[in-house]
Amino acid sequence: MNIIDLHCDALMKLQEANGALRFADSPDLHTNKARLHKGKVKVQCFAIFIEPDIKGDQKFQVALEQIDYFYKEVLGKNPDMVHIKEWADFDRLKLGQIGAMLTLEGVDAIGNDLAKLHILYQLGVRSVGLTWNQANLAADGAGEPRGAGLTLFGKEIVEFNNEHQILTDVSHLSDKGIWEVIELAKYPVASHSNARALCNHPRNLTDEQAKAMFAKGGLIHVVYHPPFIKESGEATIADLVRHIDHFCSLGGSRQIGLGSDFDGISLFVKDLEDASKTQNLINELLKHFKEEEVRGFAFENFLNHRPGIGS
Ligand SMILES: [Zn+2]
């Protein structure tokens, strides 16, 4: 069954390795092309993520370098990798092709300059998360003790996203920030977050937040990172399925998807250690849900709720 994975960090790895990794088959990439094909990942989203220790004036440069790896290494060397720049591009993918979409994980790289966000949009960024775990000029992240919401600049970014049919990603935001994005964003999404009711972690969503996301027409894509699945011990695929089941119980069965976080994590769910194993998750889901529902989690829910479609 084809799947859409809303989050991976392969671009950070490619850029940090300075050309030493091949996207086609490098074993150091959980989401290399061979593994995506094997796991039937039909669309992979590639996050631009800047490590917090990169100095402020170099962050935009590093973002551009990651985009350069996206164009030259991911797309340029692999004709079967197809750039998704418009929402309708999802419908144009042919057999044997994998769609690739750019996303931004935290707006630190643009400083206080919306023009830089416009440049990233023109280069293909179609989903923007305001923060990683710390605070920046847009908002506080989930790890920021202050716990503030969006700044005026952060609200301008959400407005920009709304105007340009860009998703606004709440994963990594503070609780207050999540609530404000749900209220302000036309296209809210949680690209890689689980249920806090099952695993009490600030990176996960409360039931109230999840219900508000669903009411707004937003999507929640569950993440394969064990510390966000289970508070202690080894996490299994069945443990991850519990999060999907829980979001279903909150009314989200048609708004749940997948966001692996591969290449950004160093702990793994058993039998879900890289993109090639993705069908293990689908097979487990098929034991618990109707095929039509699993198709939704895997691919269709995202298609039905992407900007420009339906409500
Ligand atoms: Zn992340």
Side-chain angles (χ1 to χ4, degrees), residues 59-251:
K59 288 177 193 278
F60 192 63
Q61 175 64 25
V62 172
L64 294 179
E65 283 172 26
Q66 292 187 11
I67 294 173
D68 192 49
Y69 277 100
F70 178 75
Y71 275 92
K72 283 192 188 148
E73 180 63 36
V74 176
L75 300 173
K77 295 184 183 169
N78 301 281
D80 45 344
M81 297 296 299
V82 176
H83 190 185
I84 295 212
K85 278 187 97 166
E86 294 175 27
W87 294 110
D89 289 343
F90 284 87
D91 305 318
R92 300 183 184 122
L93 289 171
K94 300 193 176 71
L95 201 69
Q97 293 183 329
I98 295 173
M101 190 174 95
L102 280 174
T103 68
L104 182 63
E105 185 170 31
V107 297
D108 306 51
I110 68 167
N112 64 349
D113 187 357
L114 263 187
K116 288 196 172 112
L117 185 60
H118 197 249
I119 290 168
L120 297 182
Y121 167 73
Q122 287 174 308
L123 289 168
V125 169
R126 291 296 176 269
S127 173
V128 171
L130 295 177
T131 66
W132 193 58
N133 291 331
Q134 286 83 33
N136 58 24
L137 295 177
D140 278 8
E144 193 66 47
R146 177 175 57 177
L150 274 56
T151 62
L152 276 177
F153 182 59
K155 291 177 184 178
E156 281 177 44
I157 292 170
V158 176
E159 197 53 43
F160 178 93
N161 291 349
N162 291 346
E163 281 168 22
H164 292 82
Q165 294 199 325
I166 298 171
L167 304 172
T168 302
D169 189 352
V170 302
S171 291
H172 285 288
L173 263 179
S174 66
D175 275 332
K176 191 156 189 279
I178 291 173
W179 280 113
E180 290 175 359
V181 166
I182 293 172
E183 191 189 322
L184 298 172
K186 251 170 126 172
Y187 313 107
V189 63
S191 66
H192 56 308
S193 293
N194 291 337
R196 210 179 291 179
L198 301 187
C199 178
N200 187 14
H201 193 291
R203 276 281 288 100
N204 287 338
L205 301 173
T206 66
D207 285 0
E208 291 70 28
Q209 289 166 343
K211 281 192 250 178
M213 283 286 286
F214 297 140
K216 191 76 193 267
L219 291 147
I220 299 176
H221 285 232
V222 297
V223 55
Y224 311 169
H225 188 40
F228 304 158
I229 296 170
K230 233 178 142 181
E231 283 164 28
S232 62
E234 194 180 57
T236 63
I237 290 180
D239 294 324
L240 177 58
V241 169
R242 271 183 214 113
H243 287 265
I244 293 179
D245 196 37
H246 184 75
F247 285 134
C248 284
S249 77
L250 302 176

Side-chain angles (χ1 to χ4, degrees), residues 1-2 48 95 111 146-147 152 157 164 238 256 268 270 309:
M1 191 179 290
N2 283 342
I48 299 159
L95 201 69
R146 177 175 57 177
L152 276 177
I157 292 170
H164 292 82
I256 297 164
F268 303 95
K270 194 176 173 302
I309 308 283

